[in-house]
Amino acid sequence: MTASRSWFRALLLAVAVALPMTLLAVPSGTAFGRPFVPGASRAEPGPIHAGNTFGWYNGGGLVYDEKFVGPLAKRWKVEGPGLVRNQHGMLTLNTYSHGTVSATLMRPGQKYGRWETRLRSRVYGKTGANYRVLTELVPMSRKKERCGELNVGLNRYVPGRRNLNLYVRNRPGLLYQAKLRNSFGRDQWHTFAVEVTPKRISWFVDARVVRTERRPDALSDVNFRVRFTMLGVKGKKMKKSRMQMDWLRYWALKAPNKKSTKAPRMVKKEYTLACGPAA
């Protein structure tokens, strides 16, 4: 064997030994902090999120930080068929093969503020219709819900598909929405946030502001709570699925945003699914 071949084999051996150690030393995909870019790759976001990117902690702005350790707290109201529990530090909504299951945080409602959560989802079933994953702000008063007429959507998507729906609704029959392209589901972590002020609403995905709506009739002026939902199709067999959240936070509007919230506005449409008498 020539000296050059010996040197080349020694180099390959050194690379083979060093590469696994290098990969172990690099944090997982969630540590790179890549922001969400519509239509971009499926890389997961990092530990950054809207709360620390936009300075919401400043001035003591954090009001609550829901973490899911131990038994499910009594302040969570569970509705519908499914298994809702804290599992390995995550609030987990496991569906059955039918119906809609939800968990609502029954803290005092807030009219304005900043809400953010980090979640992932997964489909287990092979046959049936697809569940939709929803994170929403819903009116504190049940009488004002009227089939979601006043809800604010932080996310609405089918796991594994490349469509994300964001929205805000208001009376009478107003709907402002946006559809973004990216992959959600398959156990990929993403952060979703919304900021509601007296003059605008802004949506954030993976620490990046993606939409801001300033038209006055988008603001409903009601007190909101957070609800997580696995939305099924009535009367249909569904693919068993789950959604998991490892934290949920709320900040008051004490600190100005460190970065601009300028973003494209929503598309105005009509909401036709309101039900029941007006409150």
Side-chain angles (χ1 to χ4, degrees):
M1 181 183 297
T2 64
S4 61
R5 287 184 179 179
S6 298
W7 175 87
F8 183 68
R9 288 194 175 184
L11 177 61
L12 289 178
L13 180 60
V15 171
V17 172
L19 183 58
M21 298 304 296
T22 302
L23 292 176
L24 287 173
V26 174
S28 65
T30 60
F32 286 105
R34 295 187 181 100
F36 169 85
V37 178
S41 69
R42 297 180 180 179
E44 297 180 2
I48 62 169
H49 57 94
N52 52 29
T53 300
F54 286 81
W56 296 346
Y57 287 93
N58 296 339
L62 183 65
V63 177
Y64 64 76
D65 184 354
E66 288 284 326
K67 297 179 180 177
F68 305 107
V69 179
L72 184 65
K74 293 183 179 179
R75 58 182 171 270
W76 286 95
K77 181 179 180 180
V78 176
E79 297 178 277
L83 178 61
V84 178
R85 58 175 177 162
N86 289 346
Q87 183 180 26
H88 308 303
M90 298 172 286
L91 173 61
T92 302
L93 277 65
N94 278 305
T95 72
Y96 292 156
S97 57
H98 64 278
T100 293
V101 60
S102 68
T104 304
L105 180 58
M106 304 302 287
R107 285 181 178 269
Q110 301 291 339
K111 187 178 297 185
Y112 305 119
R114 297 146 170 167
W115 293 261
E116 186 171 27
T117 189
R118 183 173 183 262
L119 67 82
R120 66 180 182 178
S121 55
R122 184 175 179 180
V123 178
Y124 290 99
K126 301 298 183 182
T127 60
N130 290 303
Y131 273 96
R132 282 174 170 77
V133 175
L134 280 75
T135 304
E136 296 180 298
L137 303 185
V138 300
M140 188 174 68
S141 170
R142 275 287 194 182
K143 293 181 179 180
K144 293 184 178 181
E145 284 201 32
R146 299 191 63 218
C147 298
E149 186 184 34
L150 300 178
N151 293 7
V152 179
L154 284 71
N155 60 56
R156 179 186 174 110
Y157 67 88
V158 175
R161 294 188 181 177
R162 296 183 63 83
N163 289 315
L164 171 68
N165 189 251
L166 311 173
Y167 52 88
V168 57
R169 305 170 186 146
N170 199 8
R171 295 179 183 141
L174 295 176
L175 168 63
Y176 289 92
Q177 70 173 10
K179 293 183 179 181
L180 305 180
R181 295 279 291 172
N182 206 325
S183 177
F184 298 91
R186 299 191 179 95
D187 271 344
Q188 293 175 325
W189 287 105
H190 292 276
T191 58
F192 301 94
V194 69
E195 179 183 34
V196 181
T197 80
K199 295 184 177 181
R200 64 169 173 81
I201 305 177
S202 295
W203 288 261
F204 307 78
V205 181
D206 297 338
R208 181 175 181 268
V209 59
V210 293
R211 289 293 185 274
T212 289
E213 183 54 62
R214 297 181 180 274
R215 283 171 281 190
D217 59 3
L219 301 172
S220 60
D221 202 38
V222 300
N223 290 325
F224 292 110
R225 286 173 170 157
V226 177
R227 176 177 296 160
F228 298 112
T229 304
M230 293 294 288
L231 181 65
V233 180
K234 187 176 181 180
K236 285 193 175 183
K237 179 182 178 181
M238 308 298 298
K239 295 178 183 176
K240 290 184 178 181
S241 305
R242 77 174 184 201
M243 65 186 298
Q244 292 182 306
M245 288 63 63
D246 65 355
W247 51 259
L248 167 67
R249 297 169 185 150
Y250 168 76
W251 298 262
L253 299 175
K254 290 188 175 183
N257 284 295
K258 294 196 308 184
K259 300 175 65 175
S260 172
T261 56
K262 185 178 180 180
R265 70 179 185 174
M266 309 289 261
V267 176
K268 188 175 183 179
K269 295 190 174 184
E270 181 182 5
Y271 184 63
T272 60
L273 300 179
C275 58

